[in-house]
Amino acid sequence: MRTLNRLTAIQVTRAKRPGVYSDGGGLYLQVTRSLAKSWLFRYMRQGKARGMGLGPTHTVSLVDARIKALDCRRQLIDGVDPLDEKLAKRRAEQRERPKSLPFRDCASEYIKTHRASWKNAKHQAQWESTLTTYAYPVLGDMPVSEIDTDEIMEVLKPIWASKTETATRVRGRIESVLSWATVNRYRSGLNPARWKGHLDQLLAKPSRLQKVQHHSALHYRDAPAFMTLLQSQEGLAALALQLVILTASRTIEVIGARRSEFDLECQVWTVPEERMKGGREHRVPLSTATMALLQPLLDTGSSAFVFPAIRGDKHLSNMAMLQLLKRMERADLTVHGFRSTFKDWARETTSHSKEVSEAALAHIIGDQTEAAYARGDLFAKRACLMQDWADYVSGQSTP
């Protein structure tokens, strides 16, 4: 009985029954239930049975399959596992894949990969616009494997002093894209866009070029008079700005507020985590003045938003309150600045603790150990603080 070459080409062609047919020497014809045919090499290695595919019969002939099986048997005689060798060769080929992927393509893949972890579409748009404006003219079509310090400097140097904040963001984004390219083996070596120990030796520190510009804020002593003037203004923007001030909330939290988030019976506004900068649900205690402001807004209208846009199922524009400030001839102020007004008032004129006022602003505790133990949201204490603040800006108390 033959131990090798048991099958014939005709048998291979006519095989219609699912199963495994031996040709000898570890070579088998494999027929699946769907009648797909392929070659399989079986062998023992260190007491364990292993199998390795040699290709489909429509591509690999019986003669070619026998040659492949012979090569596998020779490897085994030499102490080489043919399957391990095949996998090692495949990994080597993957490592040697073309490293000429352009920076623009790497950036697109990076954005696609990380899009889900970014909080909103605006962040993605900022990534794309800054890279398009500043990085792509120099790096866009360059293979990432060829990008070095000179090219990074060509991008950053023209804007480092004049647009420092933008330039630092561009540098960080380029660094992230190049790190992605390195991990995916499109480039190797140190990241030429890294700051510490590299670009910090070639470019001035951002803090020395541009002073931090804080949001323009109203002094807390002027808050009651401003609130009186604001209450005389008409329109949703004026009501939205009142809610910003009374709750010390951010613009986007207020203009995006939905009716379903408010429970006037329990005097609480619950902002869901997906709308919070810190990514955590925030409960806002509602003072009596805030309740009086909200009641008619929640009793009227059909939109899901408390402050709907004029057209479409959208909320009020984030520019509406800034335009209102201009009409009030207070273009020197910003909406975000009223959070600073509240903070200064709480710190300088009240006995409420810093911990409570920080919680009212929904600031995240920086110390991780402290944050691990601070599991409550100090709601009762914040309710007292926000009532005192509402009384103050409403002119019912003095600092």
Side-chain angles (χ1 to χ4, degrees):
M1 183 176 180
R2 290 189 296 175
T3 58
L4 292 175
N5 304 334
R6 296 177 184 173
L7 299 175
T8 66
I10 294 178
Q11 287 176 315
V12 172
T13 302
R14 293 179 177 177
K16 302 295 183 182
R17 183 178 297 177
V20 178
Y21 304 88
S22 174
D23 185 58
L27 178 62
Y28 292 85
L29 170 65
Q30 181 175 253
V31 182
T32 66
R33 291 182 179 179
S34 61
L35 301 184
K37 301 174 186 179
S38 61
W39 298 108
L40 179 68
F41 181 73
R42 287 179 170 177
Y43 61 99
M44 296 294 294
R45 185 69 174 172
Q46 297 179 347
K48 294 183 179 179
R50 305 201 77 181
M52 182 175 74
L54 301 180
T57 58
H58 61 68
T59 302
V60 179
S61 68
L62 175 59
V63 173
D64 291 336
R66 286 170 176 168
I67 293 173
K68 285 175 175 280
L70 177 60
D71 289 338
C72 289
R73 290 194 295 271
R74 286 171 174 169
Q75 286 179 309
L76 287 169
I77 291 173
D78 293 335
V80 176
D81 187 314
L83 181 57
D84 288 348
E85 182 71 9
K86 179 182 179 180
L87 295 176
K89 183 178 180 181
R90 182 182 299 169
R91 286 193 291 267
E93 290 173 349
Q94 290 175 341
R95 285 195 294 270
E96 293 302 318
R97 63 184 171 180
K99 296 182 179 180
S100 59
L101 197 65
F103 177 85
R104 189 193 314 271
D105 292 350
C106 288
S108 296
E109 287 300 318
Y110 178 90
I111 292 170
K112 187 188 302 182
T113 301
H114 292 81
R115 182 187 294 129
S117 65
W118 292 339
K119 294 176 182 175
N120 51 52
K122 182 179 178 181
H123 188 68
Q124 178 184 335
Q126 289 173 339
W127 257 80
E128 293 174 337
S129 65
T130 53
L131 291 179
T132 299
T133 302
Y134 303 106
Y136 290 167
V138 177
L139 308 176
D141 298 323
M142 282 193 68
V144 287
S145 58
E146 297 178 12
I147 295 174
D148 209 340
T149 306
D150 289 343
E151 288 74 35
I152 304 300
M153 288 296 291
E154 189 177 345
V155 173
L156 299 178
K157 199 169 182 181
I159 59 173
W160 195 254
S162 59
K163 300 178 180 179
T164 307
E165 184 175 354
T166 298
T168 56
R169 290 177 180 173
V170 171
R171 183 209 64 77
R173 288 165 184 171
I174 293 174
E175 182 181 15
S176 295
V177 172
L178 294 182
S179 293
W180 178 92
T182 299
V183 172
N184 284 277
R185 300 192 180 98
Y186 289 114
R187 61 170 287 117
S188 60
L190 295 173
N191 194 320
R194 68 192 186 281
W195 176 252
K196 191 173 183 180
H198 187 56
L199 291 182
D200 62 348
Q201 304 301 308
L202 301 174
L203 296 166
K205 290 183 178 180
S207 59
R208 293 184 179 179
L209 290 173
Q210 193 175 64
K211 292 183 179 179
V212 176
Q213 297 294 318
H214 295 287
H215 293 283
S216 300
L218 184 74
H219 195 284
Y220 63 82
R221 284 196 300 267
D222 300 323
F226 179 85
M227 181 62 92
T228 299
L229 178 62
L230 178 61
Q231 290 170 338
S232 69
Q233 305 297 309
E234 296 182 353
L236 279 180
L239 296 173
L241 185 54
Q242 288 182 52
L243 187 60
V244 165
I245 295 171
L246 288 169
T247 60
S249 298
R250 298 180 178 89
T251 298
I252 192 61
E253 294 162 10
V254 169
I255 62 175
R258 293 177 175 268
R259 297 172 183 274
S260 58
E261 296 172 1
F262 293 89
D263 185 342
L264 297 190
E265 184 176 346
C266 295
Q267 294 186 232
V268 60
W269 169 25
T270 304
V271 188
E273 60 183 31
E274 61 268 20
R275 295 210 308 107
M276 291 299 300
K277 181 179 180 180
R280 297 193 308 184
E281 180 184 276
H282 181 53
R283 296 194 304 158
V284 181
L286 303 177
S287 64
T288 52
T290 308
M291 293 277 288
L293 171 71
L294 286 169
Q295 189 70 65
L297 287 169
L298 297 177
D299 287 344
T300 59
S302 57
S303 172
F305 295 106
V306 178
F307 301 103
I310 296 176
R311 297 182 183 84
D313 187 22
K314 300 178 180 179
H315 58 65
L316 196 67
S317 165
N318 60 354
M319 294 299 295
M321 287 183 277
L322 281 176
Q323 293 299 324
L324 170 66
L325 288 171
K326 288 181 180 180
R327 292 196 299 272
M328 294 174 67
E329 298 183 351
R330 292 310 306 262
D332 57 312
L333 301 176
T334 64
V335 179
H336 195 85
F338 287 102
R339 285 165 58 85
S340 296
T341 303
F342 165 77
K343 178 64 178 176
D344 291 343
W345 166 84
R347 183 178 61 246
E348 297 182 18
T349 72
T350 78
S351 58
H352 294 285
S353 70
K354 175 183 176 181
E355 182 184 19
V356 174
S357 61
E358 288 293 303
L361 292 167
H363 283 165
I364 303 297
I365 298 174
D367 185 283
Q368 292 185 352
T369 302
E370 182 182 354
Y373 289 96
R375 298 184 180 182
D377 64 358
L378 305 175
F379 185 84
K381 292 184 176 181
R382 288 192 290 116
C384 294
L385 170 63
M386 301 315 292
Q387 185 61 53
D388 288 349
W389 168 240
D391 290 343
Y392 173 68
V393 295
S394 300
Q396 297 178 31
S397 63
T398 57

